[in-house]
Amino acid sequence: MRSDSEQLPSGQLGRLLRVGAVGVGAALLLSFPAMAPNPYYLSAGIVVLSYAVLATSWNFVGGLTGYISLGHGALAGLGGYGTALLVTKAGLPSFVALFGAALLVALLAIPLGFAALRVRGASFVIVSIALVLILLLVFQSWASLTGGSRGLVVLRPFPGLLRPEHHRVFFFLYAALLAAALIAWWLIDRSRFGLGLKAIREDEDKAEALGTPTLSYKLIVFVVSAAFTGLGGGLYALWFGDLDPVFQFSILTGAYMVLMALLGGVRHLFGPLLGALIVGVGLEYFKVEYGSTPLHLVGSGLLLGVVVMFMPDGVIPAVSHAVRRLRGAADSSIREVTAAELAEQRRPAEPEEARR
Amino acid sequence: MTLATVELSKSFGGVAALDAATVTFRPGQVNALIGPNGSGKTTFFNCVTGMIRPDSGRVAYQGKDITGTAPHRIARAGMGRTFQLCRVFGRMTALDNVLVAARSGSLVERLRSPRSRDHVERARGWLARMGIDHLEHAEAGAMSWGQQKLLELAGVLMSDPETVLLDEPAGGVNPALIDRIADLVRELNAEGKTFVIVEHNMDLVMSLSDHIVVFDRGRPIAEGPPSVIRSDERVLGAYLGV
């Protein structure tokens, strides 16, 4: 109990600091369109935000259950094509189509998840890659519906808007979607459901043996993840207005989501967002500086290697650990507590037990 | 209230781990399941708790056929288990480890905080009973082997089982802790919990159990109270190879 009372003030301070930091971060993000020097920067900002949405959506599955999906690019692509087709073929209003497509992706995620989530580890990764490749072939070949490699043009939702205004509106739409995804992740993370998911991440059989319905839990969170990923992909279709299967069903999209989430830290709410900021800005920089060379791929590959080798938990834990060590605070790992200290800690508790 | 199997069989690649094992455990007692290495004890546990689907045969618990039922349903039906190589959630705190096992009903309830007052109170109660409540904020992976064993037991008990299956509770544990675990089993048994214990430590088995089932090559070869088992020739044969 003593440790509780010691932790309380710093815990409250920490919470205050965190809330403050989130507020500052949100203010910076929302002021970006006003500060961006030209529409190019604004569109780059939208691309980075869309990465942040996708990486955060991926992290529902990757971060909470530990299942590494490289197939989330396919879910984003389905969201994009779903939205585009509902607009062009079914004539639905843009944002009805967006939510309709996300709903369809979520429904499709039920059988997909039911099949894929039965295998673990590397097998799950391979199944998820197969999903992307299959859908790429389908959407390329089925040209009568999807336009194939010629592409599919989507009407803009706001025909009257000029280009910079269009960017500005979509920046805020993406920011709203990101906020929704973050809030959903936060709510799940701190729930009993979330604790069960984290137990699955640690030891799935053990979680099941303790009464956690692991398959249902994984399936539910996969569907939530798919819905947000579909929304992210659909919003991209409405913003960009032109879809090509090669880019919509690319292994790269899923790989970027994994890299961003791992880089930032999958156990943290803002990990994927931070990773998306770093990788997304880096990718845009490489594209501007080196044009269409594959250098950005080499760069992200190297970065993934460095992250996995030196920061397996991502930037956030690595930095906070370093800060704690610099401060010299007693990082109380159990092994460092001596037997004498333990006896000391236990002593006050004993008279209470005796009284009972 | 009984756990029983009928003709339970399971082979791995042609090797019969369980060979038509028909076993009935005594409700309200401390049952032991002993036998040489590879005699099918752990496979038996895995089949009974739903972790492995048997090739043939039935498992009955509390009068219901639970063969092929998902492990989490069996757990919620009141059968808890520990694992041979103690398994805890290494990167969670001790308290969270125990809270994972708390029951929740509706989906809405599952979206509430796991640290509700009554759950935390019960979880702390079990940690205190194991004597590791001072470690509730410690990461489970950083705890000692013995502490992890106690933590695993606390988690299982949090799920409120009527029957507890322990797979080698004394394995790799120092003698003082073995006594503590034995006392806990006696206390919990007195409170009405049925135990089925796989264990190689014969002193512990003989002192603790009311009823012993001996396995050899995937099937029971003898059963009875410790006094009978101690002098059973088939048991001596299976263990000593005479």
Side-chain angles (χ1 to χ4, degrees):
Chain A
M1 298 308 107
R2 181 170 43 173
S3 64
D4 262 1
S5 58
E6 271 171 14
Q7 275 175 359
L8 250 166
S10 74
Q12 273 173 349
L13 187 68
R15 188 176 305 164
L16 211 65
L17 279 175
R18 273 201 293 276
V19 171
V22 171
V24 171
L28 280 176
L29 183 72
L30 292 178
S31 59
F32 179 79
M35 295 192 298
N38 61 46
Y40 163 71
Y41 275 89
L42 194 47
S43 73
I46 294 172
V47 170
V48 172
L49 261 190
S50 85
Y51 279 138
V53 167
L54 293 181
T56 303
S57 309
W58 177 90
N59 206 35
F60 282 92
V61 175
L64 293 170
T65 70
Y67 276 68
I68 304 296
S69 160
L70 278 172
H72 265 56
L75 300 172
L78 282 172
Y81 268 98
T83 306
L85 291 173
L86 286 176
V87 171
T88 54
K89 308 278 175 184
L92 289 179
S94 301
F95 290 94
V96 176
L98 174 67
F99 283 97
L103 186 66
L104 288 175
V105 173
L107 288 176
L108 188 67
I110 297 172
L112 283 178
F114 199 76
L117 291 165
R118 286 174 176 272
V119 291
R120 300 180 192 174
S123 312
F124 176 78
V125 178
I126 291 165
V127 170
S128 71
I129 293 174
L131 176 67
V132 185
L133 298 178
I134 292 168
L135 286 174
L136 171 62
L137 287 177
V138 169
F139 277 76
Q140 265 182 334
S141 315
W142 197 354
S144 60
L145 182 72
T146 66
S149 305
R150 278 179 292 115
L152 179 63
V153 175
V154 198
L155 287 178
R156 288 186 173 183
F158 315 109
L161 282 188
L162 292 173
R163 204 174 174 77
E165 273 307 305
H166 182 75
H167 284 337
R168 198 184 304 275
V169 169
F170 270 90
F171 187 91
F172 289 119
L173 285 173
Y174 261 117
L177 181 55
L178 178 62
L182 287 171
I183 289 169
W185 199 92
W186 180 73
L187 285 174
I188 291 176
D189 180 51
R190 60 202 303 280
S191 70
R192 290 175 195 179
F193 175 51
L195 187 64
L197 292 172
K198 282 177 269 184
I200 291 171
R201 179 179 72 196
E202 299 279 316
D203 185 339
E204 187 163 345
D205 291 331
K206 174 73 188 166
E208 176 83 22
L210 285 178
T212 311
T214 53
L215 186 60
S216 319
Y217 270 34
K218 288 185 292 182
L219 200 53
I220 291 171
V221 87
F222 184 72
V223 167
V224 172
S225 173
F228 277 109
T229 310
L231 281 173
L235 206 52
Y236 181 85
L238 292 180
W239 172 59
F240 199 71
D242 190 358
L243 302 179
D244 182 330
V246 174
F247 296 111
Q248 293 304 301
F249 297 101
S250 160
I251 289 288
L252 273 182
T253 316
Y256 284 148
M257 291 189 219
V258 175
L259 171 59
M260 290 163 181
L262 286 182
L263 175 65
V266 294
R267 288 158 193 268
H268 293 262
L269 174 60
F270 295 110
L273 167 58
L274 182 66
L277 282 179
I278 298 169
V279 177
V281 170
L283 285 175
E284 288 300 307
Y285 172 79
F286 268 100
K287 276 181 198 157
V288 171
E289 288 296 305
Y290 303 101
S292 55
T293 65
L295 262 179
H296 61 286
L297 295 181
V298 177
S300 31
L302 281 176
L303 186 57
L304 184 59
V306 168
V307 168
V308 170
M309 283 173 69
F310 299 109
M311 295 185 291
D313 284 341
V315 170
I316 293 181
V319 168
S320 59
H321 192 70
V323 167
R324 230 178 302 149
R325 275 172 67 173
L326 278 179
R327 267 210 230 133
D331 185 9
S332 64
S333 147
I334 310 282
R335 293 204 176 88
E336 288 163 6
V337 180
T338 63
E341 282 173 296
L342 279 182
E344 182 62 30
Q345 282 175 11
R346 301 220 49 199
R347 195 173 300 153
E350 274 158 21
E352 273 177 46
E353 276 170 33
R355 246 178 280 142
R356 269 187 243 143
Chain B
M1 295 288 165
T2 341
L3 171 61
T5 65
V6 181
E7 307 251 308
L8 204 61
S9 294
K10 175 76 194 174
S11 316
F12 295 106
V15 180
L18 286 177
D19 183 12
T22 300
V23 184
T24 303
F25 292 108
R26 305 278 171 88
Q29 295 197 345
V30 177
N31 299 269
L33 182 59
I34 63 170
N37 286 323
S39 59
K41 305 180 299 284
T42 296
T43 305
F44 181 83
F45 264 21
N46 285 337
C47 283
V48 162
T49 53
M51 312 289 293
I52 294 178
R53 189 181 280 267
D55 297 334
S56 63
R58 321 298 305 162
V59 182
Y61 181 59
Q62 299 187 336
K64 276 184 221 131
D65 188 337
I66 57 162
T67 322
T69 305
H72 72 268
R73 288 188 197 283
I74 293 178
R76 279 191 280 175
M79 188 149 56
R81 73 167 294 185
T82 63
F83 288 85
Q84 188 174 4
L85 294 172
C86 157
R87 279 159 90 164
V88 295
F89 305 115
R91 297 193 57 175
M92 288 187 190
T93 63
L95 187 65
D96 279 352
N97 260 272
V98 181
L99 286 172
V100 168
R103 305 274 177 87
S104 299
S106 63
L107 194 63
V108 178
E109 204 181 319
R110 286 169 203 267
L111 289 175
R112 292 213 196 106
S113 166
R115 292 180 195 82
S116 68
R117 184 187 294 217
D118 61 321
H119 281 190
V120 169
E121 227 162 69
R122 279 208 306 130
R124 281 194 178 131
W126 285 119
L127 287 173
R129 188 105 186 245
M130 300 297 128
I132 50 172
D133 49 327
H134 57 295
L135 297 171
E136 73 170 58
H137 296 299
E139 229 180 43
M143 293 165 67
S144 76
W145 176 255
Q147 287 164 343
Q148 288 189 17
K149 286 217 137 180
L150 292 166
L151 176 61
E152 187 181 26
L153 192 53
V156 170
L157 291 166
M158 182 74 181
S159 71
D160 208 12
E162 282 170 330
T163 305
V164 184
L165 278 57
L166 304 178
D167 201 347
E168 299 197 13
V173 169
N174 71 55
L177 194 52
I178 292 180
D179 289 344
R180 176 123 135 240
I181 290 173
D183 287 341
L184 280 166
V185 170
R186 282 192 196 98
E187 284 171 31
L188 292 162
N189 177 240
E191 290 163 24
K193 292 195 193 303
T194 303
F195 280 87
V196 180
I197 301 176
V198 163
E199 185 50 63
H200 284 295
N201 181 329
M202 280 308 124
D203 292 339
L204 180 65
V205 167
M206 293 301 167
S207 70
L208 199 56
S209 36
D210 306 302
H211 183 74
I212 300 178
V213 177
V214 186
F215 259 41
D216 189 33
R217 291 174 211 184
R219 62 194 313 168
I221 54 165
E223 59 178 291
S227 56
V228 173
I229 293 301
R230 224 190 298 258
S231 54
D232 189 295
E233 277 172 29
R234 287 165 301 176
V235 177
L236 293 174
Y239 267 100
L240 304 172
V242 292

